[in-house]
């Protein structure tokens, strides 16, 4: 499937699209109503281009359907249930049939294959097990692949490092910020990459930059790969980087991708950056059509050097809903991270604070001092502040204030890192 002729894949996609559209219309009242409101009939979908006739599905739609109004099968056919954190509103729920779990295991197993996985390998899985899809998604994939999974879940960093040294896993899976934290903790205990046996890492669930990748690889002595997924679609494994690392391969036999302009909602041509929209082609428990992910990326078609022919999505540079408007300028947190980590010896541990003390927005970046420069004289620290502020300003086109704080003083996260604290009052 990963190396399939693109034209044959399109035929398969159309066949599966027609089937899932009928399932959604017949079994999910939300889609039945949406189709009827615009006069769209199931038989109107005769080509892949006809997918553009289908209305979008948003996170608000899924929240309104909480918990099970989007389910397309009887309760007895549901095998597993997951949900988003719900930290920004009502949680979004996803339900899986046995067939859905098999698909999830398959796409996650493909991700492990892209990461040089071998059946004899052990995988230290530090994604959280529970309602969050990360832990179980990798777990299903490892078992399908035939590797041995070490179900560590998140937290207990000291124990994580002990297991890493003693059990000798070849692959690490977690968020990139936690991978960085593990690397720092390993160093603090007096160990280095030569004392562990990792060869690759599969990191996702939050945005990260090329600069962060380089830091993680240095700390852990690995090749770091990006994985992408989201609760509303299925979980991790929707796309993943191969060792060529020139985009994340989307599992097109199961998910149909589009890029739209988030303002006009028109579909953009190949290579144009915009919002990623995904349609589940094979999911039966909760078939989701044209879901607006809010993630900003672009699509690249053409055969990869690895031999795979699936379309690739470029690194996500932000979300349409986490973009900050600072003094009239649109800023993504990833731009700030990129500017920060271009500075030699700058710590990857930072927080963005946005305030409006008067009529203008103020942007402060709190950055930890690394232990090696902690004891430097004031002049050296001032130079570091200046370099960081200049580098970030060059990335975003705005003046920023940089505050250097003590090593270890910013909160660490064993899940998704909290990077932005916006204290502006817009009332």
């Amino acid at each position: 499937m990963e190396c399939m002729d693109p034209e044959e894949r399109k035929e398969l996609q159309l066949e599966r699209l027609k089937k899932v559209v009928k399932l959604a219309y017949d079994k999910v009242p939300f889609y039945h109503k949406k189709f009827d409101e615009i006069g769209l009939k199931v038989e109107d979908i005769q080509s892949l281009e006809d997918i553009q006739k289908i209305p979008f599905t948003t996170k608000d739609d899924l929240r309104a359907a909480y918990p099970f109004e989007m389910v397309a099968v009887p309760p007895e056919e549901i095998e597993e249930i997951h949900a988003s954190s719900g930290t920004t509103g009502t949680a979004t729920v996803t339900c899986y049939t046995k067939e859905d779990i098999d698909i999830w295991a398959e796409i996650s197993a493909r991700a492990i294959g892209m990461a040089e996985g071998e059946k004899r390998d052990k995988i230290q899985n530090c994604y959280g097990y529970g309602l969050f899809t990360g832990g179980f998604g990798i777990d299903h994939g490892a078992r399908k692949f035939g590797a041995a999974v070490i179900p560590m879940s998140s937290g207990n960093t000291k124990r994580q490092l002990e297991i890493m040294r003693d059990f000798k896993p070849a692959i690490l899976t977690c968020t990139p910020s936690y991978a960085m934290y593990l690397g720092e903790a390993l160093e603090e205990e007096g160990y280095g990459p030569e004392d562990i046996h990792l060869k690759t890492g599969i990191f996702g669930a939050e945005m990260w930059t090329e600069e962060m990748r380089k830091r993680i690889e240095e700390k852990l002595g690995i090749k770091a790969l990006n994985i992408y997924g989201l609760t509303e679609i299925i979980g991790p494994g929707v796309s993943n980087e191969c060792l060529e690392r020139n985009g994340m391969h989307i599992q097109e036999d199961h998910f149909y991708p589009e890029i739209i302009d988030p303002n006009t909602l028109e579909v953009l041509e190949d290579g144009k950056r915009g919002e990623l929209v995904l349609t589940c082609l094979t999911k039966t428990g909760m078939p989701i059509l044209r879901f607006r992910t809010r993630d900003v990326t672009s699509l690249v078609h053409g055969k990869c050097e690895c031999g795979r022919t699936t379309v690739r999505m470029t690194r996500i540079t932000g979300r349409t809903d986490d973009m900050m408007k600072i003094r009239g300028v649109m800023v993504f947190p990833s731009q700030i991270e990129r500017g920060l980590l271009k500075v030699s010896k700058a710590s990857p541990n930072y927080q963005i604070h946005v305030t409006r003390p008067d009529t203008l927005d103020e942007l402060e970046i709190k950055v930890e001092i690394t232990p090696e420069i902690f004891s430097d004289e004031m002049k050296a620290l001032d130079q570091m502040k200046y370099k960081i502020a200049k580098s970030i300003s060059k990335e975003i086109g705005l003046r920023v204030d940089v505050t250097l704080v003590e090593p270890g003083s910013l909160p660490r996260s064993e899940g998704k890192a909290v990077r932005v604290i916006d204290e502006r009052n817009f009332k």
Side-chain angles (χ1 to χ4, degrees):
M1 286 297 185
E2 293 177 274
C3 302
M4 193 176 190
D5 178 87
E7 292 304 314
E8 289 182 19
R9 187 184 290 116
K10 286 180 181 177
E11 292 178 12
L12 176 65
Q13 287 176 320
L14 179 57
E15 177 187 325
R16 290 179 168 180
L17 176 63
K18 289 179 177 179
K19 187 174 179 180
V20 77
V21 165
K22 179 170 172 49
L23 173 66
Y25 181 78
D26 289 346
K27 301 295 184 180
V28 182
F30 169 80
Y31 287 116
H32 195 105
K33 181 181 177 184
K34 281 278 188 180
F35 277 40
D36 286 352
E37 283 177 349
I38 61 173
L40 180 64
K41 300 187 182 305
V42 171
E43 52 270 23
D44 291 338
I45 307 302
Q46 294 298 322
S47 69
L48 287 176
E49 289 70 29
D50 287 338
I51 197 172
Q52 296 179 35
K53 299 176 181 178
I54 300 172
F56 293 107
T57 306
T58 66
K59 182 167 280 194
D60 285 342
D61 293 328
L62 299 185
R63 285 171 175 157
Y66 177 88
F68 303 128
E69 290 184 23
M70 295 288 277
V71 175
V73 296
E76 61 269 22
E77 292 185 28
I78 295 298
E79 273 204 0
E80 201 165 308
I81 300 172
H82 287 275
S84 66
S85 62
T87 54
T88 58
T90 304
T92 56
V93 177
T94 191
C95 299
Y96 304 78
T97 61
K98 181 184 184 304
E99 292 77 12
D100 296 334
I101 295 295
D102 288 344
I103 290 167
W104 197 12
E106 168 65 24
I107 62 173
S108 294
R110 292 178 188 177
I112 293 167
M114 289 188 214
E116 288 189 309
E118 298 180 59
K119 287 195 173 183
R120 65 185 180 184
D121 284 340
K122 302 179 194 73
I123 298 174
Q124 186 161 333
N125 186 13
C126 306
Y127 285 115
Y129 280 71
L131 284 178
F132 172 59
T133 56
F136 278 96
I138 296 296
D139 194 288
H140 290 317
R143 296 171 194 277
K144 176 82 171 181
F145 187 85
V149 62
I150 306 172
M152 289 298 295
S153 195
S154 58
N156 199 347
T157 299
K158 188 175 179 63
R159 179 68 169 156
Q160 297 273 12
L161 296 178
E162 183 181 300
I163 292 296
M164 197 178 290
R165 294 193 302 270
D166 296 345
F167 287 20
K168 299 178 174 57
I171 298 174
L172 174 69
T173 62
C174 59
T175 61
S177 58
Y178 192 53
M180 191 69 213
Y181 185 30
L182 287 170
E184 291 174 341
L186 184 72
E187 197 171 70
E188 286 171 7
E189 289 195 6
Y191 295 97
E194 66 279 1
D195 298 304
I196 56 177
H197 300 265
L198 293 175
K199 61 181 179 182
T200 48
I202 302 175
F203 306 129
E206 62 187 22
M207 283 178 293
W208 51 307
T209 60
E210 284 298 316
E211 289 73 22
M212 176 69 91
R213 191 206 300 266
K214 291 172 187 172
R215 298 291 181 94
I216 292 171
E217 291 182 335
E218 288 170 3
K219 293 285 187 185
L220 295 174
I222 60 172
K223 293 177 183 175
L225 303 180
N226 207 344
I227 190 170
Y228 175 78
L230 55 169
T231 301
E232 296 83 1
I233 297 299
I234 203 165
V238 172
S239 67
N240 200 84
E241 283 183 315
C242 66
L243 293 177
E244 296 297 327
R245 300 193 291 192
N246 58 358
M248 290 179 278
H249 291 272
I250 297 177
Q251 306 301 340
E252 283 190 277
D253 49 327
H254 297 294
F255 312 103
Y256 186 82
E258 303 170 84
I259 299 292
I260 65 167
D261 182 310
N263 298 312
T264 66
L265 305 185
E266 68 173 308
V267 175
L268 301 178
E269 61 189 44
D270 215 29
K272 295 285 187 182
R273 297 197 73 79
E275 181 182 339
L276 177 66
V277 172
L278 291 169
T279 293
C280 297
L281 297 175
T282 51
K283 200 173 173 200
T284 55
M286 280 182 63
I288 302 297
L289 308 179
R290 301 197 84 198
F291 180 72
R292 293 187 60 180
T293 67
R294 301 291 182 180
D295 292 319
V296 178
T297 182
S298 61
L299 299 180
V300 180
H301 287 84
K303 189 175 182 179
C304 179
E305 289 296 316
C306 73
R308 293 175 179 84
T309 58
T310 44
V311 66
R312 283 159 286 150
M313 55 184 280
T314 58
R315 181 179 288 277
I316 292 168
T317 54
R319 288 177 55 83
T320 58
D321 55 0
D322 78 355
M323 182 172 61
M324 302 176 290
K325 192 171 184 179
I326 311 292
R327 299 196 290 274
V329 177
M330 301 304 180
V331 177
F332 287 110
S334 59
Q335 292 175 286
I336 292 173
E337 180 176 297
R338 186 162 55 245
L340 167 66
L341 297 184
K342 281 183 177 178
V343 178
S344 175
K345 295 184 180 180
S347 168
N349 299 311
Y350 67 96
Q351 263 192 353
I352 302 165
H353 289 255
V354 189
T355 58
R356 184 177 288 172
D358 195 1
T359 57
L360 287 178
D361 298 328
E362 297 294 336
L363 189 57
E364 179 190 18
I365 317 299
K366 292 185 177 180
V367 182
E368 285 187 5
I369 304 171
T370 54
E372 58 264 36
I373 66 169
F374 182 55
S375 58
D376 283 1
E377 59 185 41
M378 188 64 68
K379 184 178 179 181
L381 296 178
D382 286 341
Q383 287 176 343
M384 175 64 74
K385 279 177 61 174
Y386 173 75
K387 288 179 182 178
I388 292 172
K390 184 178 179 181
S391 182
I392 293 174
S393 294
K394 189 175 179 181
E395 284 290 332
I396 66 175
L398 287 173
R399 178 189 58 78
V400 300
D401 294 319
V402 173
T403 302
L404 299 181
V405 298
E406 291 185 9
S409 61
L410 292 178
R412 297 295 194 271
S413 173
E414 292 159 352
K416 295 186 181 184
V418 179
R419 296 295 193 195
V420 181
I421 298 176
D422 194 334
E423 298 174 327
R424 291 176 292 181
N425 187 345
F426 292 102
K427 293 181 180 179

